[in-house]
Amino acid sequence: MRTSASFEIKYLQYLDEKAKPANDLPDFAKDPKILIQLYKDMQFVRILDKRTVALQRIGKMHTYPASLGQEAVGVGSGSSLQEGDVLIPYYRGTATMIAKGIKPHEILQYWGGDERGSDYKDKNCKEDFPIAVPIATQMLHAAGVATAIKLRKQKGRAVLTEIGEGGTSEGEFYEALNVAGVWDLPLVFIINNNQWAISVPTELQTRAETFAQKGIAAGIECLQVDGNDVIAVKDATTRALDKARTGGGPTVIEAICYRLSDHTTADDASRYNDPKVHEDAWKKEPIKRLQDYLLASGGALAEELESAEEECKALVEKEIQIYLKFMEEDHQPPEAMFDYLFAELPERTRVQRDEAIRRGSK
Ligand SMILES: Cc1ncc(C[n+]2csc(CCOP(=O)(O)OP(=O)(O)O)c2C)c(N)n1
């Protein structure tokens, strides 16, 4: 027998687990100002997540999925987007969305049950999609938008979409990969491999050695990156988006990290995770890694990073207050959940809407 095809999956890392450079850093990472901004963006999301989970605990927020431990995946990929690119996020995409320019209070509004939060006000975010909660449906939306960009011959534009590793078991993921490969679409897939799909670990999700290689069957370039290394995530995504914008086709990036939070506020991860693995994962988390590198390389002083953190706390508080004010002064009635999906309500949905009005008024 001869070999018909063979493949390998590369793994990209710039800062190792001890925050030491494992490779020559890409140009952007030689500028401490850029690294400090990435540090701030990650801190912002971590602080926002903590405050949002606390709001849920006092009944001022509905179910919320935190990104604890996964900040580098969202910040590294989202900060690589440019004007004209389209983001098709999933529910764990808070960091990606904020890095793109979507306002944090809009995201809070959405999770607070107000669909108007998905009507993004920033002019660069007008074409970005609402958060997808159904697993993997966003993959086909992304393939559709990328097809439109291609058909309209809109050079210099690309689409970024994201999914959890569990979501890559869904048919939509494979369908989107296939069409992206066949039509050479300007599309970048980020797989946020946080090791868990609620309580299902990666070893029960696939027999494949990597999630990235799922793109191989579609003829797509795939790679893994250290998802705790924001420099690696940003570098891989920047290159993949540049390739997509210049007619080079799609890329699959699997970012390996660890979910340090519960799946959502409705979960208790301590019922299924191994405390030892969890503890080890804290030693590799992305914010500490970049912080250690910045301090060791002289890119930033401890006081600078402390004041960056304080600045983030104040900015988060401002966003929370905007959200709370919305919810108090302009609270949407329960039937509003039906009002932003259809131009004209189908009969069976109309019945459900009437029911919501009836129950809501009790
Ligand atoms: C079509 C569909 N099936 C099931 C669910 C319930 N569900 C919500 S999150 C989740 C696990 C997803 O895990 P993963 O894709 O790894 O993403 P993560 O939440 O870890 O970021 C499931 C099964 C859903 N939202 N949509």
Side-chain angles (χ1 to χ4, degrees):
M1 269 195 291
R2 62 188 170 82
T3 303
S4 299
S6 57
F7 66 89
E8 58 179 12
I9 301 293
K10 296 262 199 280
Y11 175 84
L12 183 68
Q13 181 189 58
Y14 286 107
L15 296 182
D16 69 15
E17 290 175 12
K18 301 224 152 19
K20 301 261 178 315
N23 267 307
D24 254 358
L25 297 190
D27 281 347
F28 76 81
K30 291 177 184 152
D31 180 348
K33 274 207 234 69
I34 294 181
L35 293 188
I36 293 172
Q37 188 59 49
L38 293 171
Y39 171 83
K40 269 188 178 171
D41 292 348
M42 291 195 289
Q43 275 288 9
F44 182 91
V45 174
R46 185 164 292 185
I47 296 164
L48 179 75
D49 268 356
K50 199 169 169 195
R51 282 289 279 123
T52 309
V53 171
L55 284 180
Q56 190 275 341
R57 300 303 190 224
I58 56 165
K60 298 204 167 198
M61 174 57 66
H62 295 303
T63 304
Y64 179 76
S67 327
L68 189 64
Q70 302 149 80
E71 296 87 351
V73 180
V75 168
S77 59
S79 66
S80 309
L81 288 160
Q82 293 178 358
E83 203 180 321
D85 292 339
V86 181
L87 172 65
I88 320 266
Y90 87 128
Y91 54 83
R92 189 111 31 220
T94 303
T96 327
M97 294 168 78
I98 295 173
K100 172 77 198 298
I102 294 167
K103 304 277 175 268
H105 64 261
E106 293 175 328
I107 302 172
L108 296 178
Q109 204 180 349
Y110 169 82
W111 289 113
D114 188 337
E115 298 287 342
R116 294 173 302 176
S118 302
D119 182 14
Y120 311 132
K121 297 292 178 289
D122 189 291
K123 72 175 180 3
N124 290 329
C125 301
K126 285 284 175 200
E127 290 178 303
D128 294 336
F129 269 43
I131 292 166
V133 173
I135 305 293
T137 50
Q138 75 277 19
M139 298 290 104
L140 289 171
H141 301 157
V145 174
T147 304
I149 287 175
K150 181 137 186 167
L151 288 176
R152 291 173 184 169
K153 301 190 180 8
Q154 295 175 331
K155 293 255 163 7
R157 302 189 75 190
V159 178
L160 181 81
T161 192
E162 47 183 6
I163 187 166
E165 86 291 341
T168 70
S169 300
E170 292 277 0
E172 286 97 329
F173 177 70
Y174 293 100
E175 290 162 20
L177 281 185
N178 191 56
V179 80
V182 172
W183 291 345
D184 215 18
L185 298 180
L187 177 51
V188 178
F189 297 90
I190 303 286
I191 302 172
N192 176 347
N193 180 359
N194 63 16
Q195 314 298 320
W196 293 102
I198 314 186
S199 56
V200 178
T202 50
E203 58 273 22
L204 295 182
Q205 200 65 246
T206 183
R207 283 279 303 267
E209 300 103 311
T210 73
F211 287 89
Q213 76 200 57
K214 293 189 175 196
I216 295 284
I220 300 180
E221 183 188 342
C222 331
L223 75 156
Q224 284 187 321
V225 299
D226 181 342
N228 287 319
D229 173 7
V230 70
I231 300 175
V233 179
K234 187 172 172 65
D235 183 53
T237 315
T238 301
R239 284 194 276 130
L241 284 168
D242 280 348
K243 185 182 88 171
R245 290 187 203 106
T246 52
T251 308
V252 174
I253 300 171
E254 175 190 353
I256 301 173
C257 56
Y258 190 89
R259 197 192 75 212
L260 289 165
S261 59
D262 295 330
H263 169 71
T264 64
T265 46
D267 176 45
D268 174 4
S270 69
R271 292 181 61 180
Y272 53 83
N273 71 11
D274 176 344
K276 173 82 181 66
V277 176
H278 192 84
E279 208 182 297
D280 279 354
W282 267 109
K283 294 181 194 143
K284 301 176 195 166
E285 63 94 356
I287 298 186
K288 172 93 170 38
R289 189 170 310 182
L290 184 59
Q291 179 179 326
D292 286 352
Y293 173 71
L294 276 167
L295 295 176
S297 63
L301 299 170
E303 306 86 78
E304 270 179 276
L305 297 185
E306 274 158 31
S307 74
E309 195 178 333
E310 289 309 311
E311 213 181 294
C312 288
K313 280 186 188 155
L315 287 171
V316 165
E317 213 37 57
K318 232 167 141 180
E319 293 291 324
I320 300 265
Q321 291 313 320
I322 298 174
Y323 160 72
L324 289 174
K325 194 154 181 273
F326 257 129
M327 299 314 265
E328 267 162 40
E329 292 176 3
D330 192 12
H331 195 69
Q332 289 270 280
E335 67 272 20
M337 68 179 136
F338 298 102
D339 293 344
Y340 301 96
L341 286 174
F342 299 97
E344 263 175 55
L345 277 186
E347 185 48 33
R348 66 162 195 266
T349 314
R350 206 186 338 269
V351 170
Q352 289 176 19
R353 187 176 187 278
D354 290 345
E355 175 82 9
I357 295 173
R358 202 171 55 73
R359 285 176 183 240
S361 62
K362 270 187 193 163

